[in-house]
Amino acid sequence: AQSVTQLGSHVSVSEGALVLLRCNYSSSVPPYLFWYVQYPNQGLQLLLKYTSAATLVKGINGFEAEFKKSETSFHLTKPSAHMSDAAEYFCAVSAFGNEKLTFGTGTRLTIIP
Amino acid sequence: DGGITQSPKYLFRKEGQNVTLSCEQNLNHDAMYWYRQDPGQGLRLIYYSQIVNDFQKGDIAEGYSVSREKKESFPLTVTSAQKNPTAFYLCASSQNQLGKGSYTFGSGTRLTVV
């Protein structure tokens, strides 16, 4: 079975500061890992995904994440936060070859002007 | 434009009533999913279908039912057996295997019991 743990249900950063959202995974088989973003009262949108190719993955809106097998982590970063980044972010995992995703509990990102 | 349409956006249900949430996609995706979202609990899988006329229970299927008679449609019925149905419901779809977990989500239905 696969699972993800997102550390910190709420994160606040100042505009222009580094964004770091943490995700650790557990998987008995090689995982696929994903970050999704959700704006209020909307569905989720894919930010980026890791599917066993390059360990540093670049996504939309300037976000990137690095797969670290030794740490079982897939943390999401952005060098400089914008006000428009305020949203809820979900990390998700699926087993290799299995489409079914398991989501973390989410991290709400607040940007301080 | 291709996408997923969920309707209605807001739904109010009286206790003891069944209600059906609509989910339609025109992406030609094979797989479709229903998730329930509650504050602080993330997304929990209710049901999923990987092919027409077949579906499987997810982690919290009790009190819900689905059908998959057409590739484009995957309606969810919230029955009176669901004791706490107030939540935000999200439908998603993916192209099996090829999509490798890249889901497309609808914009959700917010269900409230009154």
Side-chain angles (χ1 to χ4, degrees):
Chain A
Q2 291 73 42
S3 66
V4 291
T5 301
Q6 292 185 241
L7 299 176
S9 58
H10 292 87
V11 171
S12 296
V13 301
S14 298
E15 191 175 13
L18 172 71
V19 175
L20 171 60
L21 304 182
R22 299 178 186 274
C23 174
N24 288 88
Y25 71 90
S26 173
S27 179
S28 56
V29 297
Y32 291 164
L33 293 158
F34 309 82
W35 277 99
Y36 284 83
V37 61
Q38 184 182 34
Y39 298 100
N41 293 311
Q42 294 187 25
L44 278 68
Q45 178 184 1
L46 181 66
L47 272 179
L48 50 82
K49 65 180 180 182
Y50 165 78
T51 56
S52 75
T55 56
L56 182 62
V57 182
K58 295 186 183 299
I60 62 172
N61 301 337
F63 284 94
E64 63 181 37
E66 186 172 8
F67 173 71
K68 292 187 176 180
K69 186 177 179 181
S70 61
E71 298 178 8
T72 61
S73 69
F74 190 59
H75 302 331
L76 182 70
T77 61
K78 182 174 180 178
S80 176
H82 295 170
M83 294 301 294
S84 60
D85 294 328
E88 189 153 21
Y89 292 80
F90 292 91
C91 183
V93 63
S94 71
F96 176 79
N98 183 341
E99 285 290 303
K100 193 158 63 74
L101 285 180
T102 299
F103 287 85
T105 53
T107 297
R108 184 169 299 279
L109 176 65
T110 299
I111 311 298
I112 303 167
Chain B
D1 288 340
I4 294 184
T5 300
Q6 289 188 243
S7 61
K9 189 171 180 64
Y10 297 96
L11 186 58
F12 296 90
R13 189 194 95 170
K14 293 182 179 179
E15 288 196 22
Q17 279 184 337
N18 293 355
V19 291
T20 298
L21 283 58
S22 172
C23 178
E24 303 276 337
Q25 55 101 355
N26 61 3
L27 300 164
N28 199 34
H29 282 172
D30 295 312
M32 297 186 73
Y33 312 82
W34 274 106
Y35 285 89
R36 169 179 171 143
Q37 186 176 18
D38 297 281
Q41 297 192 50
L43 279 70
R44 292 181 290 167
L45 183 64
I46 304 172
Y47 269 99
Y48 65 104
S49 167
Q50 294 184 309
I51 196 169
V52 174
N53 292 323
D54 187 45
F55 49 83
Q56 286 79 41
K57 293 182 179 180
D59 301 318
I60 56 165
E62 185 175 352
Y64 300 96
S65 65
V66 294
S67 62
R68 186 85 186 278
E69 298 176 0
K70 299 186 299 181
K71 188 175 186 178
E72 303 79 24
S73 179
F74 192 41
L76 173 74
T77 296
V78 184
T79 74
S80 57
Q82 171 49 239
K83 297 306 179 187
N84 185 22
T86 295
F88 191 53
Y89 291 87
L90 287 163
C91 180
S93 70
S94 71
Q95 187 73 308
N96 264 344
Q97 302 301 319
L98 296 176
K100 296 181 179 177
S102 296
Y103 286 11
T104 300
F105 280 84
S107 56
T109 293
R110 188 167 297 280
L111 173 62
T112 303
V113 174
V114 297

